[in-house]
Amino acid sequence: MIGDRFRFVDLAEHPVVVLIDDQGNATIEGEDRVCPLILAEVMFRIALFYEAAHENAVCRPTSRAERALEPLQEQAATLDREFAVWTDGTGHAWDLTCDWVDAYGRAWQWTGDLDQVSGIPLMRTEYRTDVQSLDVLREVCGPISPARNRGAA
């Protein structure tokens, strides 16, 4: 069991990643890198395994209220401009090439800049009507989750 630790995934080694949020919503990254029939077969086998292992208890998703929002610790953060990945001071890597969707369904994109004071990436809505730093976006409009890749920022 991994727990709250993070393992960085090499997409050359593992081309498909399934992310399941605390409400049971799934996002599949890289499904275009694997034959759909192979992906369907693997996911079917996974479904059979977990269905057989499930007890008759009611499933209870983890509530966001039970988890404290971790600070980004911008003083220890780094930005890899070549790959548009910002790693916050806690070690979380943020892919800035994809849109980030907030709790209200709005897509946010990286402006290409960092906040001049904090050094945290500046994000703007898809319609360019609002600009917020990533930490403010998480706090005010969160939770946020990655959307489908839109290409380089």
Side-chain angles (χ1 to χ4, degrees):
M1 181 174 199
I2 293 177
D4 287 336
R5 294 176 292 156
F6 290 88
R7 176 175 182 247
F8 291 95
V9 178
D10 179 355
L11 293 179
E13 182 182 351
H14 304 283
V16 177
V17 177
V18 178
L19 303 168
I20 303 172
D21 69 16
D22 58 2
Q23 299 300 310
N25 301 310
T27 302
I28 301 174
E29 296 294 334
E31 72 270 18
D32 58 340
R33 296 185 197 125
V34 175
C35 170
L37 291 176
I38 292 172
L39 185 58
E41 173 64 26
V42 168
M43 297 190 89
F44 178 72
R45 283 186 276 139
I46 292 170
L48 288 177
F49 174 82
Y50 281 102
E51 185 176 47
H54 187 269
E55 298 175 6
N56 288 331
V58 176
C59 294
R60 182 174 108 31
T62 303
S63 170
R64 282 275 174 195
E66 296 173 13
R67 294 177 41 204
L69 188 63
E70 297 173 337
L72 296 180
Q73 298 182 10
E74 64 274 2
Q75 65 277 9
T78 59
L79 173 66
D80 182 336
R81 282 203 180 269
E82 180 182 356
F83 294 102
V85 173
W86 184 73
T87 305
D88 66 29
T90 64
H92 296 99
W94 297 85
D95 181 356
L96 301 175
T97 65
C98 70
D99 291 353
W100 288 84
V101 179
D102 66 21
Y104 306 102
R106 293 177 299 182
W108 294 76
Q109 303 163 350
W110 183 40
T111 65
D113 296 317
L114 300 177
D115 182 87
Q116 292 181 353
V117 175
S118 69
I120 295 175
L122 292 174
M123 310 295 286
R124 67 175 162 236
T125 58
E126 59 191 320
Y127 302 110
R128 305 187 190 288
T129 57
D130 194 13
V131 175
Q132 298 290 344
S133 61
L134 183 60
D135 60 335
V136 171
L137 175 60
R138 289 175 66 221
E139 183 67 30
V140 175
C141 303
I144 63 173
S145 59
R148 290 211 167 268
N149 224 349
R150 66 175 167 83

